[in-house]
Amino acid sequence: MINKDTKVADVIEDPLFKGYGRLIFPTAFGRPSPSMPLSQAGSMLIYHNYVNTDTTLDVIRHMQKEAKAGRRIFYDIYTEAEKKRDPDKRDTGLFFFRGKPNAPFVLVCAGGGFYYVGAIHESFPHALELSRRGYNGFALIYRTRTADTACEDLARAIRFIFEHKAELEVDTEGYSLWGGSAGARMAAWLGAYGPGAFGEGELPRAAAVIMQYTGHSQYSRLDPPTYACVGDRDGIADWRVMKNRLECLETLGTDTEFHLYPGLRHGFGLGVGTKAEGWLDDAVRFWERNRKRKKAHRRR
């Protein structure tokens, strides 16, 4: 059984994660020191705070359990031919946290300033928590070359899930896009413009976008219902920008919900042990409300 003293490198090299172990932790700045324990994994996430070791252990133990049971937890979203043409696409893919068969899905994008993907703190825990509530959770590892390439990967991931919904046993109706920081920008762009704008063809758009701490200020009538949360000591994403954007969306008739947490800095993830703990409950209620509205509208 892994513990806080287990080496990060040992998790990356775990035979259970063969072929994708390197994607579990952000390695954009190189592999971690062979001596780095999981209790220090947060030092790899330079833009994040409040990285919780127990949460990290929970995620990895769950992934190990699923892999030992023979359940697939990682999916390539690009073909070998596509990866050969663009080698950077080899470091992309979807981690799947299964919920109930044929339940709706959630796709989560961690942030990292388009320099790294902080999935171990900002998308794996979210997807796992949502799977425990019955939803099918996906966490995307995307190219950090540019915001455009990251969005292209998100568009491909959405298309992949739609094309493999029978195999994955997911309901694609009324899905939601979640993201923190840079990942929140991606969720907003795909929510507004859809996969077609990034080369992946026309597909239904998300029923809701769930955003954490981002300076994204663009908005239009195309934006879906949007939930946002942020701390008032965030030195990267000014909470006023987020609040103003949602107020502008409200004037366009878009459903929104905004939460501000006193004393919190950037990148709090699930917010375990902070004043933001439980924000995910609010986000799920917001998504469910708008998922049902979208479903009812389609039936008219």
PDB file of all heavy atoms in Angstrom, residues 233-248:
ATOM      1  N   ARG A 233      -7.718  36.161  -2.111  1.00  0.00           N
ATOM      2  CA  ARG A 233      -6.278  36.449  -2.051  1.00  0.00           C
ATOM      3  C   ARG A 233      -5.535  35.830  -3.234  1.00  0.00           C
ATOM      4  O   ARG A 233      -4.340  35.606  -3.182  1.00  0.00           O
ATOM      5  CB  ARG A 233      -5.681  35.937  -0.739  1.00  0.00           C
ATOM      6  CG  ARG A 233      -6.087  36.754   0.493  1.00  0.00           C
ATOM      7  CD  ARG A 233      -5.286  36.314   1.700  1.00  0.00           C
ATOM      8  NE  ARG A 233      -3.845  36.468   1.489  1.00  0.00           N
ATOM      9  CZ  ARG A 233      -2.919  35.801   2.172  1.00  0.00           C
ATOM     10  NH1 ARG A 233      -3.282  34.911   3.096  1.00  0.00           N
ATOM     11  NH2 ARG A 233      -1.634  36.001   1.937  1.00  0.00           N
ATOM     12  N   ASP A 234      -6.287  35.591  -4.298  1.00  0.00           N
ATOM     13  CA  ASP A 234      -5.699  34.994  -5.496  1.00  0.00           C
ATOM     14  C   ASP A 234      -4.885  36.049  -6.231  1.00  0.00           C
ATOM     15  O   ASP A 234      -5.427  37.018  -6.761  1.00  0.00           O
ATOM     16  CB  ASP A 234      -6.809  34.459  -6.406  1.00  0.00           C
ATOM     17  CG  ASP A 234      -6.293  33.535  -7.493  1.00  0.00           C
ATOM     18  OD1 ASP A 234      -5.266  33.870  -8.116  1.00  0.00           O
ATOM     19  OD2 ASP A 234      -6.920  32.483  -7.723  1.00  0.00           O
ATOM     20  N   GLY A 235      -3.568  35.848  -6.284  1.00  0.00           N
ATOM     21  CA  GLY A 235      -2.695  36.812  -6.946  1.00  0.00           C
ATOM     22  C   GLY A 235      -2.539  36.573  -8.430  1.00  0.00           C
ATOM     23  O   GLY A 235      -1.830  37.326  -9.106  1.00  0.00           O
ATOM     24  N   ILE A 236      -3.191  35.552  -8.963  1.00  0.00           N
ATOM     25  CA  ILE A 236      -3.112  35.239 -10.387  1.00  0.00           C
ATOM     26  C   ILE A 236      -4.424  35.557 -11.092  1.00  0.00           C
ATOM     27  O   ILE A 236      -4.429  36.145 -12.174  1.00  0.00           O
ATOM     28  CB  ILE A 236      -2.732  33.751 -10.588  1.00  0.00           C
ATOM     29  CG1 ILE A 236      -1.320  33.499 -10.041  1.00  0.00           C
ATOM     30  CG2 ILE A 236      -2.815  33.369 -12.070  1.00  0.00           C
ATOM     31  CD1 ILE A 236      -0.888  32.043 -10.096  1.00  0.00           C
ATOM     32  N   ALA A 237      -5.523  35.167 -10.493  1.00  0.00           N
ATOM     33  CA  ALA A 237      -6.844  35.417 -11.077  1.00  0.00           C
ATOM     34  C   ALA A 237      -7.628  36.358 -10.162  1.00  0.00           C
ATOM     35  O   ALA A 237      -8.058  35.960  -9.079  1.00  0.00           O
ATOM     36  CB  ALA A 237      -7.613  34.103 -11.267  1.00  0.00           C
ATOM     37  N   ASP A 238      -7.780  37.589 -10.585  1.00  0.00           N
ATOM     38  CA  ASP A 238      -8.497  38.592  -9.789  1.00  0.00           C
ATOM     39  C   ASP A 238      -9.978  38.222  -9.710  1.00  0.00           C
ATOM     40  O   ASP A 238     -10.650  38.096 -10.732  1.00  0.00           O
ATOM     41  CB  ASP A 238      -8.330  39.961 -10.448  1.00  0.00           C
ATOM     42  CG  ASP A 238      -8.829  41.103  -9.571  1.00  0.00           C
ATOM     43  OD1 ASP A 238      -9.777  40.888  -8.794  1.00  0.00           O
ATOM     44  OD2 ASP A 238      -8.274  42.205  -9.677  1.00  0.00           O
ATOM     45  N   TRP A 239     -10.484  38.075  -8.497  1.00  0.00           N
ATOM     46  CA  TRP A 239     -11.872  37.671  -8.327  1.00  0.00           C
ATOM     47  C   TRP A 239     -12.838  38.676  -8.933  1.00  0.00           C
ATOM     48  O   TRP A 239     -13.947  38.309  -9.362  1.00  0.00           O
ATOM     49  CB  TRP A 239     -12.192  37.466  -6.846  1.00  0.00           C
ATOM     50  CG  TRP A 239     -12.143  38.705  -5.987  1.00  0.00           C
ATOM     51  CD1 TRP A 239     -11.090  39.163  -5.279  1.00  0.00           C
ATOM     52  CD2 TRP A 239     -13.219  39.628  -5.742  1.00  0.00           C
ATOM     53  NE1 TRP A 239     -11.415  40.318  -4.603  1.00  0.00           N
ATOM     54  CE2 TRP A 239     -12.726  40.622  -4.868  1.00  0.00           C
ATOM     55  CE3 TRP A 239     -14.543  39.704  -6.157  1.00  0.00           C
ATOM     56  CZ2 TRP A 239     -13.508  41.684  -4.420  1.00  0.00           C
ATOM     57  CZ3 TRP A 239     -15.332  40.759  -5.711  1.00  0.00           C
ATOM     58  CH2 TRP A 239     -14.820  41.732  -4.853  1.00  0.00           C
ATOM     59  N   ARG A 240     -12.427  39.944  -9.013  1.00  0.00           N
ATOM     60  CA  ARG A 240     -13.301  40.971  -9.576  1.00  0.00           C
ATOM     61  C   ARG A 240     -13.556  40.735 -11.068  1.00  0.00           C
ATOM     62  O   ARG A 240     -14.646  41.006 -11.581  1.00  0.00           O
ATOM     63  CB  ARG A 240     -12.701  42.356  -9.352  1.00  0.00           C
ATOM     64  CG  ARG A 240     -12.531  42.723  -7.874  1.00  0.00           C
ATOM     65  CD  ARG A 240     -11.683  43.962  -7.693  1.00  0.00           C
ATOM     66  NE  ARG A 240     -11.361  44.220  -6.292  1.00  0.00           N
ATOM     67  CZ  ARG A 240     -10.359  43.635  -5.644  1.00  0.00           C
ATOM     68  NH1 ARG A 240      -9.581  42.754  -6.249  1.00  0.00           N
ATOM     69  NH2 ARG A 240     -10.143  43.907  -4.374  1.00  0.00           N
ATOM     70  N   VAL A 241     -12.522  40.230 -11.744  1.00  0.00           N
ATOM     71  CA  VAL A 241     -12.673  39.907 -13.169  1.00  0.00           C
ATOM     72  C   VAL A 241     -13.692  38.796 -13.346  1.00  0.00           C
ATOM     73  O   VAL A 241     -14.571  38.865 -14.225  1.00  0.00           O
ATOM     74  CB  VAL A 241     -11.315  39.500 -13.778  1.00  0.00           C
ATOM     75  CG1 VAL A 241     -11.485  38.990 -15.211  1.00  0.00           C
ATOM     76  CG2 VAL A 241     -10.338  40.676 -13.753  1.00  0.00           C
ATOM     77  N   MET A 242     -13.600  37.793 -12.510  1.00  0.00           N
ATOM     78  CA  MET A 242     -14.538  36.674 -12.611  1.00  0.00           C
ATOM     79  C   MET A 242     -15.960  37.117 -12.287  1.00  0.00           C
ATOM     80  O   MET A 242     -16.915  36.757 -12.984  1.00  0.00           O
ATOM     81  CB  MET A 242     -14.123  35.547 -11.661  1.00  0.00           C
ATOM     82  CG  MET A 242     -12.794  34.906 -12.013  1.00  0.00           C
ATOM     83  SD  MET A 242     -12.460  33.421 -11.035  1.00  0.00           S
ATOM     84  CE  MET A 242     -13.592  32.258 -11.777  1.00  0.00           C
ATOM     85  N   LYS A 243     -16.096  37.894 -11.245  1.00  0.00           N
ATOM     86  CA  LYS A 243     -17.429  38.347 -10.841  1.00  0.00           C
ATOM     87  C   LYS A 243     -18.047  39.240 -11.912  1.00  0.00           C
ATOM     88  O   LYS A 243     -19.231  39.094 -12.250  1.00  0.00           O
ATOM     89  CB  LYS A 243     -17.348  39.097  -9.513  1.00  0.00           C
ATOM     90  CG  LYS A 243     -18.708  39.462  -8.907  1.00  0.00           C
ATOM     91  CD  LYS A 243     -18.521  40.010  -7.505  1.00  0.00           C
ATOM     92  CE  LYS A 243     -19.858  40.219  -6.808  1.00  0.00           C
ATOM     93  NZ  LYS A 243     -20.650  41.303  -7.410  1.00  0.00           N
ATOM     94  N   ASN A 244     -17.246  40.143 -12.457  1.00  0.00           N
ATOM     95  CA  ASN A 244     -17.744  41.040 -13.494  1.00  0.00           C
ATOM     96  C   ASN A 244     -18.191  40.259 -14.733  1.00  0.00           C
ATOM     97  O   ASN A 244     -19.224  40.558 -15.341  1.00  0.00           O
ATOM     98  CB  ASN A 244     -16.673  42.054 -13.882  1.00  0.00           C
ATOM     99  CG  ASN A 244     -17.144  43.004 -14.967  1.00  0.00           C
ATOM    100  OD1 ASN A 244     -18.009  43.851 -14.746  1.00  0.00           O
ATOM    101  ND2 ASN A 244     -16.574  42.870 -16.166  1.00  0.00           N
ATOM    102  N   ARG A 245     -17.420  39.244 -15.108  1.00  0.00           N
ATOM    103  CA  ARG A 245     -17.788  38.446 -16.281  1.00  0.00           C
ATOM    104  C   ARG A 245     -19.132  37.752 -16.078  1.00  0.00           C
ATOM    105  O   ARG A 245     -19.980  37.738 -16.968  1.00  0.00           O
ATOM    106  CB  ARG A 245     -16.706  37.396 -16.566  1.00  0.00           C
ATOM    107  CG  ARG A 245     -17.054  36.495 -17.750  1.00  0.00           C
ATOM    108  CD  ARG A 245     -15.904  35.553 -18.088  1.00  0.00           C
ATOM    109  NE  ARG A 245     -16.254  34.737 -19.232  1.00  0.00           N
ATOM    110  CZ  ARG A 245     -16.792  33.523 -19.143  1.00  0.00           C
ATOM    111  NH1 ARG A 245     -17.029  32.971 -17.958  1.00  0.00           N
ATOM    112  NH2 ARG A 245     -17.094  32.839 -20.244  1.00  0.00           N
ATOM    113  N   LEU A 246     -19.330  37.191 -14.902  1.00  0.00           N
ATOM    114  CA  LEU A 246     -20.597  36.505 -14.648  1.00  0.00           C
ATOM    115  C   LEU A 246     -21.769  37.476 -14.601  1.00  0.00           C
ATOM    116  O   LEU A 246     -22.873  37.167 -15.050  1.00  0.00           O
ATOM    117  CB  LEU A 246     -20.512  35.681 -13.360  1.00  0.00           C
ATOM    118  CG  LEU A 246     -20.151  34.204 -13.608  1.00  0.00           C
ATOM    119  CD1 LEU A 246     -18.779  34.062 -14.234  1.00  0.00           C
ATOM    120  CD2 LEU A 246     -20.273  33.383 -12.345  1.00  0.00           C
ATOM    121  N   GLU A 247     -21.518  38.667 -14.078  1.00  0.00           N
ATOM    122  CA  GLU A 247     -22.578  39.673 -14.073  1.00  0.00           C
ATOM    123  C   GLU A 247     -22.957  40.066 -15.496  1.00  0.00           C
ATOM    124  O   GLU A 247     -24.145  40.288 -15.800  1.00  0.00           O
ATOM    125  CB  GLU A 247     -22.135  40.892 -13.267  1.00  0.00           C
ATOM    126  CG  GLU A 247     -22.076  40.627 -11.766  1.00  0.00           C
ATOM    127  CD  GLU A 247     -21.476  41.788 -10.996  1.00  0.00           C
ATOM    128  OE1 GLU A 247     -20.881  42.692 -11.642  1.00  0.00           O
ATOM    129  OE2 GLU A 247     -21.589  41.798  -9.745  1.00  0.00           O
ATOM    130  N   CYS A 248     -21.952  40.148 -16.372  1.00  0.00           N
ATOM    131  CA  CYS A 248     -22.221  40.463 -17.780  1.00  0.00           C
ATOM    132  C   CYS A 248     -23.018  39.332 -18.441  1.00  0.00           C
ATOM    133  O   CYS A 248     -23.928  39.585 -19.241  1.00  0.00           O
ATOM    134  CB  CYS A 248     -20.916  40.696 -18.529  1.00  0.00           C
ATOM    135  SG  CYS A 248     -20.056  42.214 -18.056  1.00  0.00           S
TER     136      CYS A 248
END
